[in-house]
Amino acid sequence: MTRRRCSAASSRAWPSRSFSYGYLVPDGERVWLGHAFVATGTAAGEARLTGQHLVDVPGTWSPMLLRAWAEGSAYGEDFARETAQFVGPDWAEPVRTHLLRVGPLRSVCVRIDQEGKPRALLAVAADWLSEEELPPLRLFAAQVSAALEAARTISRLSTHNTALTALSRLAAVAATAAEPRAFFGPGTEEIIGLVHGSAVLILLRTEGSDALELVWHQNTTDEAVRPFRRLPIHGSMSGKVLELGIPMVLQADDFPEAVREHLRKHGRASVAMVPLQASSRMVGTLIITFAEHRLLSAMELETLQAMGSHFAAAIESHRLLQQVRGRAEELARLHAELKHTQRQLVEHERLAALGELSAVVAHEVRNPLGAIFNALATLRRFVEPKGPAPGLVAIVEEEANRLNRMVEDLLDFARPSAPEFHPVPLARLLEEAVRTATSGQSRVRVEWALRPDVPPVPVDERMIRQAFLNLALNAVQAMPQGGTLRVAAYRCTEQPGAVVEVTDTGSGIPPELRGRLFTPFFTTKATGTGLGLAIVQRTLAAHGGHVHIDSPPGGGTTFRLTLPLGPEVETQTG
């Protein structure tokens, strides 16, 4: 209920006599003195007390006020005693002493009704009053009630139109806001303008906990909202509003002592709390604070509740949208994982088929190769040193050796053995592989960049030596006219382990071929099997490492191998 302040009832109603009056609004067990006029004769020589005052202070029910509220009017012989009871024990004696200096004062109190219900009281005090003044004052109260009723109707229509306009603007902002925070600012400004509040706070329920978190505040400071940053749902006023599902208007005195003192310190007299409800879900609380004592009308509360519904709908829509987005992202991730798994399955089946085929081919080719090598050994005893025969025998032997290497590659690819890990110095394996790859390659110069702090790495010595040899051979073959083979090894900075780099100065690898280099049987060489790099990649995967290719446009290629360092080796090497 909004307290209405009556316009000054002028002493012109009784031109030759002066009187004092007060306009009072009951509020439960309290009675608020909203407006007062102190006549000169009642001021007892205190000029500062004379005139009109907007006092806005609470008091208690006196006998005359109770009778007037119940019966419509009441007459009192002892105004000093009535006033002393109204102001309470702290001020009773000073007020009574002051009024006794004035002399005997009598009073009349009449009730002002609105919509057929008691709304306020008008008390008049003077030394000349008697019970005969009750009828004209009751008539005056009826006129005031009619005037207030008309003003209330006009105000209600105006408030209704203002509320509808504010709700329309609020709905438009809520519909276009990308997220709730984009809506909070304009929305809270609408609320402040509509009910003339001092500040607005928004508290939302925390998922998975029994608490409300402050997510927005308008027209206030961080210090002023400190007690409201996190509130339990059970045991707090905001939680009670959520449990009841209805707005509440509280005064500072209604809060616990600590909160009450904090509100008073920051100039807050009244607090309105509105539940934010979307369908059957309570999402939070909207709090509006007022610098002065306020009793909101039913229409104002209904409007605030409607505004709270817009806030709740925007918050809930954003929450549901986030859930949908999260599920969509999860589905996309699962779909990508499924496609990756399908590709791996297809690749595994393809490699398994290739492995079986390679094993069959290698077995079938190895037997004829054995016969060819035996025949070559016999032919060499009968071939004359002079003539074309020795050259032809050498060609056959070279091609047979190439076929034999292909068979060995096929067998390595078809039946990979499980690695047996032992800490091995990488420098020794690299030197053995490079020495074999560069044998007879006088135009290839080797540069070494082996750091002394590279620890022994737990590897399968045979498999890693073959991988190093395949890379070194690949580098030498990339430089048919000669060049520089650079071999480097150093500690890995991203994780415990070692990094090996094999770099050539050849023409490089075209970008369109890089994605196929590790595909089994893919080769750009006329005499290659296409299994060397595939074996390198599988060997690194078996050791928990990986291989990376760097081939800049200017030429040259670097194969970078990362080998993890096992925990037992890491402990030994510090």
Side-chain angles (χ1 to χ4, degrees), residues 2-20:
T2 303
R3 179 160 40 82
R4 309 286 184 182
R5 293 194 172 104
C6 180
S7 60
S10 172
S11 60
R12 287 176 295 179
W14 291 269
S16 61
R17 302 174 182 180
S18 65
F19 61 90
S20 300

Side-chain angles (χ1 to χ4, degrees), residues 183-193 200 202 216 218 286 311:
F183 166 66
F184 289 164
T188 51
E189 286 292 346
E190 288 286 352
I191 291 174
I192 290 172
V200 176
I202 299 175
W216 185 268
Q218 191 89 357
L286 182 70
F311 278 88

